[in-house]
Amino acid sequence: MGTLQLEVVTPDKTVVSTAVEMAVCPGVEGEFGVLPQHVSLLSALKIGGLRYRIDGKDEYVFISGGFADVNNNVLTVLAESAERAADIDTARALAAKERAEKRIAEHADNIDMTRAEASLQRAVVRLQLAQSR
Ligand code: ATP
C-alpha cells in the first residue's frame, strides 16, 4: 500500500518528519484519516491527538489546533504547539489543568474564560495522550 510523508511543524521546530502508513487528524469537524495517495486537502484542526501508523504500530502527537495540508503524498500539519506523546510532561499538564480550572472557577471576563477553556482543553488532551504511550 505504500506510505505518505508526515511533517508536523510548529514555529519553533519540526516535531515529526517521517514516512507513515496512515494518519488520523483532529479536524474541526471531526477526525479524518489520510492514506497514501490521498487527494489534495486543506483542513483546520482543533486541539487533539494526531495518530499515525508506522510498521503497524500507532504513535500519538499532541496538536494545539492549526492546519493540515495534503498535497503530493505529503501531509503537513502546522500547529502553534505540538509534541510527541512520549515528550509530554504530565506534571506540567496537571499544573496547567489546575491553573485553568482555578481561573474558570473564578469567572474572569469572557476573554479570559475562552483562554482558560482552551488551556484546560490542551491540558486534558495532553494528559489523555500521555496515557497512550
Ligand atoms: P503551559 O501553561 O504548561 O505552558 P500551554 O498549553 O500554555 O501549557 P503551549 O502554549 O501549548 O503550552 O505550548 C508552549 C510550549 O510548551 C510548546 O513548545 C509545547 O510543546 C510545550 N509544552 C506545553 N505543555 C507541555 C507538556 N505538558 N509537556 C511537554 N511540552 C509541553
Side-chain angles (χ1 to χ4, degrees):
M1 177 142 186
T3 58
L4 78 152
Q5 184 67 17
L6 171 65
E7 302 284 332
V8 179
V9 180
T10 72
D12 300 341
K13 57 183 187 285
T14 297
V15 177
V16 178
S17 175
T18 188
V20 302
E21 287 147 27
M22 58 92 82
V24 179
C25 298
V28 285
E29 280 159 26
E31 293 201 320
F32 60 90
V34 182
L35 291 169
Q37 309 305 332
H38 198 286
V39 291
S40 294
L41 165 110
L42 180 63
S43 173
L45 302 179
K46 63 180 178 185
I47 297 166
L50 169 81
R51 177 165 65 90
Y52 62 90
R53 189 167 294 163
I54 293 186
D55 295 331
K57 195 172 166 285
D58 283 344
E59 303 279 349
Y60 295 84
V61 187
F62 170 82
I63 304 290
S64 68
F67 293 91
D69 172 83
V70 181
N71 213 350
N72 287 328
N73 213 34
V74 181
L75 165 59
T76 307
V77 173
L78 301 171
E80 195 52 43
S81 63
E83 65 272 347
R84 292 165 177 271
D87 294 330
I88 292 171
D89 178 339
T90 303
R92 179 173 170 174
L94 268 176
K97 179 171 177 279
E98 279 166 20
R99 265 198 316 277
E101 282 169 344
K102 189 159 170 281
R103 268 183 266 139
I104 290 166
E106 284 165 358
H107 274 314
D109 62 40
N110 283 341
I111 294 169
D112 285 352
M113 282 298 270
T114 307
R115 272 208 201 160
E117 275 157 12
S119 173
L120 177 60
Q121 187 63 21
R122 289 195 298 276
V124 167
V125 172
R126 280 179 168 123
L127 291 169
Q128 282 168 355
L129 291 175
Q131 302 281 313
S132 67
R133 65 198 180 193

